[in-house]
Amino acid sequence: MTLMGPGQRLTIYIGDSDQWQGRPLYRALLETLRSDGLAGATVVKALAGFGAHSRVHTASLLRLSTDLSLVITVVDQPERIQQALLVVGPMVVEGLITVENVQIVQYRHRGSPELPRDRLVRAVMSRSVATVMPDTPIDEVVRLLLQREVKAVPVVSRDWRVVGIITGGDLLERGGMSLRLSIHRDLTTEELADQLKALQESGKTAGDIMSPGPVTIGENATLDQAGRIMAAKELKRLPVEDETGKLVGIISRFDLLQVLAADGIEIAETAPRQLLSGKSRATAGEVASQDVPTGHADTPLQQVLDELVASSHRRVVITDDTGRVVGLVTDRALLESIEPEARQGVMQRLAARLPWSKSRAGVFPADSIAADVMVTEVYSVLDSASLAELLREMLERGVKRLLVLDAEGRMVGLAERKAVMKALYSAESCC
């Protein structure tokens, strides 16, 4: 893209605490300008200033006010600036907007920026890796995972070569663990002690339950290669080896998505590689999974629990009579919110998700309903959001999945990090 000649500069002065429909106003303005195809926009935060109310705002640590001024500047062709004004003008309820004529001397755009092929895995990987030996008792494996707040651990030989990997799935399938690892973090001290004691009494070790021969990657491989491998094999992480085959780090799907976002959101937007199913311009709605169980606020809690246990998404979306999303029930939220006497029953039902459990017992009184436990703060994106916007929202929220809603607030589906990776990388060219 090239711009030269007469242009206009649009300048918007707002406060950094200003909101638009529950979101920071500057973010809403940027997204609007971007979706309208403006050449670019810059947000600058002021060191000090005052506005219509004559209150001095400053970044000084010795002053209490932190509601600093933000200045958004956009330069583009005059007709595009005037068109943008029609949209962003009404969004600035309080602030200042100016337009000036400028002469554009130079503006060039690469068009399709490439993934960071020149960046190596070793520059991003975590070098502090939790590891276990094949003879490590399984209860110690779980303790380590909980202590390090990680969900997988490489199994290494005494010469530090990776011989296996243990994930939460391995612990459930072969280790006999009855609850997901993430739920263990919400157990009481006594409940956790019981879980660990049962694992200890099984006598199993890391070598008994690990997945042998895990996929690894060299520290000098590129991030692009790592991403394609993870997308094609649906892996959340890769152990990293040096040239001699010894473990030197680990790189995760989250690490890679962070790089994609940090290196410029346009990487995801322009989708430089061959994308699965031709989804180079895929939206959040197109990559969202639609098999998400739903209920109403007055749905019996026992029914919600049954739906939750039966779903791989580990959540039930609560809607009103018009289909608008009003809340969410997850297994962790359920455990946190119920009375102590119901916890054991809920844990048994959550364990019933596992194939060897036959538990179908009722847990809640008949008058318990979804509204009693649902959370009403639901993170979501619009179905029209680009993959870049979806990724950015996931990273900023620190979540693995987001609800995707239409413009009326009705659920379209659930978008996960895995779906974003699949849409960004080609499986065909992998490995």
Side-chain angles (χ1 to χ4, degrees), residues 57-306:
H57 305 277
T58 174
S60 169
L61 294 177
L62 300 179
R63 303 292 295 271
L64 294 178
S65 174
T66 57
D67 183 18
L68 296 170
S69 299
L70 296 179
V71 181
I72 303 173
T73 305
V74 185
V75 174
D76 209 317
Q77 296 169 338
E79 60 272 22
R80 297 175 66 82
I81 292 292
Q82 294 303 315
Q83 187 66 32
L85 267 173
L86 298 176
V87 180
V88 301
M91 298 171 67
V92 182
V93 178
E94 189 171 67
L96 175 67
I97 298 176
T98 64
V99 175
E100 307 163 78
N101 293 326
V102 298
Q103 186 71 17
I104 301 174
V105 177
Q106 177 175 309
Y107 175 84
R108 295 194 178 96
H109 188 282
R110 288 188 300 169
S112 297
E114 294 187 344
L115 283 169
R117 296 180 187 179
D118 58 333
R119 296 188 64 182
L120 304 181
V121 166
R122 67 186 182 199
V124 175
M125 70 182 187
S126 172
R127 296 180 184 275
S128 177
V129 188
T131 61
V132 296
M133 299 287 186
D135 58 356
T136 302
I138 185 175
D139 58 304
E140 291 187 18
V141 173
V142 175
R143 282 192 178 91
L144 178 65
L145 291 170
L146 295 174
Q147 180 185 4
R148 295 290 295 267
E149 296 185 348
V150 293
K151 295 183 178 178
V153 58
V155 183
V156 297
S157 61
R158 299 202 178 278
D159 61 353
W160 217 246
R161 298 180 187 280
V162 182
V163 296
I165 194 165
I166 296 176
T167 66
D170 296 322
L171 289 166
L172 291 170
E173 294 170 15
R174 291 188 288 276
M177 195 168 72
S178 60
L179 295 169
R180 288 191 300 109
L181 192 62
S182 60
I183 291 180
H184 279 69
R185 297 188 173 94
D186 298 310
L187 299 181
T188 65
T189 302
E190 293 75 18
E191 291 167 346
L192 179 59
D194 289 342
Q195 294 286 324
L196 294 175
K197 181 181 179 183
L199 293 174
Q200 183 183 30
E201 290 175 348
S202 74
K204 293 182 178 178
T205 66
D208 295 327
I209 67 168
M210 70 180 186
S211 295
V215 178
T216 61
I217 194 166
E219 61 177 333
N220 292 320
T222 66
L223 298 184
D224 183 71
Q225 291 172 315
R228 284 186 290 123
I229 292 173
M230 280 190 264
K233 298 184 180 297
E234 297 189 358
L235 299 173
K236 296 179 181 177
R237 58 194 65 82
L238 293 172
V240 183
E241 299 172 331
D242 65 11
E243 294 180 350
T244 68
K246 293 183 179 180
L247 179 72
V248 291
I250 196 164
I251 185 168
S252 69
R253 178 189 293 162
F254 181 71
D255 295 330
L256 195 60
L257 292 177
Q258 277 191 312
V259 172
L260 284 169
D263 275 17
I265 208 70
E266 291 185 10
I267 289 172
E269 184 68 18
T270 53
R273 301 194 63 81
Q274 302 82 8
L275 303 177
L276 292 180
S277 305
K279 294 180 177 178
S280 61
R281 293 285 181 179
T283 64
E286 290 172 326
V287 301
S289 173
Q290 298 179 352
D291 59 339
V292 185
T294 60
H296 288 77
D298 59 356
T299 299
L301 199 50
Q302 185 63 43
Q303 183 178 332
V304 173
L305 178 59
D306 290 343

Side-chain angles (χ1 to χ4, degrees), residues 376-397:
T376 55
E377 184 180 10
V378 179
Y379 298 148
S380 64
V381 294
L382 288 174
D383 56 349
S384 59
S386 66
L387 290 183
E389 292 167 331
L390 172 61
L391 172 58
R392 181 172 56 202
E393 196 70 19
M394 281 183 173
L395 295 177
E396 287 189 358
R397 297 291 189 184

